[in-house]
Amino acid sequence: MARKRMEGTALSSYEDVDTVLRRIGEIDRDLGLAQAATDEAIDQVKQAHKEATEPLHAMKANLELQLKEFAEARRIDFQEVRSRELTFGSIGFRRSTSVVIKKTGDTLSALLALGLTHCVRTKQEPDKEAMRELSTETLASVGAALKVNDAFGYEIKREQIPAPVSA
């Protein structure tokens, strides 16, 4: 579809612009009220769901604890085979290994001192804030450039917009 060029604008004076700003403010207010009502309704549904399912969550947690206590009491059954298949599922133990670091800074220094750089994460990325201070030539030499935009903006004076009239 070809683009249509519009001749002139719908607004012809600053009074028209001010009227549009007022209307945008009214719409923003109405959207905020609608969102607040929606959030309130969602919160009520979530609360009702939480209250309705709380006994089920407590019952499930209790049953899970019973399973764990049963398996712990019979840990010897899980020395050869790590899990036991049953009709409705399985229970068992999984061996997990994690690295515990007492002091991150000391560990990092020691890893670097030992040349274990493959054990150290380093995230490198251009610092755009710092790059703003570079000259145009330097930016061009690193494949970057400054882009200057003159962006339009507007501000609504919400306190000046009258409250809606209730019917």
Side-chain angles (χ1 to χ4, degrees):
M1 179 184 268
R3 250 180 154 182
K4 292 182 181 179
R5 183 169 183 196
M6 297 176 65
E7 296 295 324
T9 66
L11 305 177
S12 59
S13 69
Y14 284 109
E15 287 139 2
D16 292 345
V17 171
D18 204 31
T19 301
V20 167
L21 289 171
R22 175 184 174 168
R23 185 66 187 126
I24 290 172
E26 292 168 348
I27 291 170
D28 283 348
R29 179 197 56 225
D30 293 345
L31 287 171
L33 292 172
Q35 185 63 50
T38 300
D39 291 346
E40 178 65 29
I42 290 170
D43 289 345
Q44 289 174 359
V45 169
K46 284 182 177 180
Q47 184 63 33
H49 171 75
K50 182 180 178 184
E51 290 170 4
T53 60
E54 198 169 316
L56 293 173
H57 284 291
M59 190 181 306
K60 180 182 174 187
N62 185 12
L63 292 171
E64 288 171 340
L65 183 60
Q66 289 178 32
L67 287 175
K68 182 181 177 189
E69 289 173 348
F70 178 88
E72 290 283 349
R74 290 164 179 79
R75 202 177 250 290
I76 195 158
D77 295 344
F78 297 97
Q79 286 182 345
E80 296 291 321
V81 180
R82 301 297 293 161
S83 65
R84 182 147 184 172
E85 291 293 325
L86 301 166
T87 305
F88 298 106
S90 63
I91 61 171
F93 293 93
R94 287 199 180 122
R95 180 163 287 133
S96 67
T97 306
S98 62
V99 175
V100 178
I101 297 174
K102 294 176 185 171
K103 291 185 178 179
T104 305
D106 294 345
T107 301
L108 182 60
S109 298
L111 286 169
L112 293 173
L114 294 171
L116 300 173
T117 56
H118 67 282
C119 296
V120 177
R121 289 188 194 149
T122 305
K123 181 179 179 183
Q124 293 184 340
E125 60 185 26
D127 182 352
K128 291 181 180 179
E129 293 297 320
M131 290 176 68
R132 285 184 185 182
E133 307 302 319
L134 298 176
S135 68
T136 307
E137 296 80 21
T138 305
L139 285 170
S141 70
V142 298
L146 289 177
K147 181 179 177 183
V148 178
N149 288 335
D150 198 10
F152 169 77
Y154 68 89
E155 214 175 294
I156 303 295
K157 295 180 182 176
R158 300 193 191 295
E159 65 279 357
Q160 298 294 347
I161 297 172
V165 179
S166 299

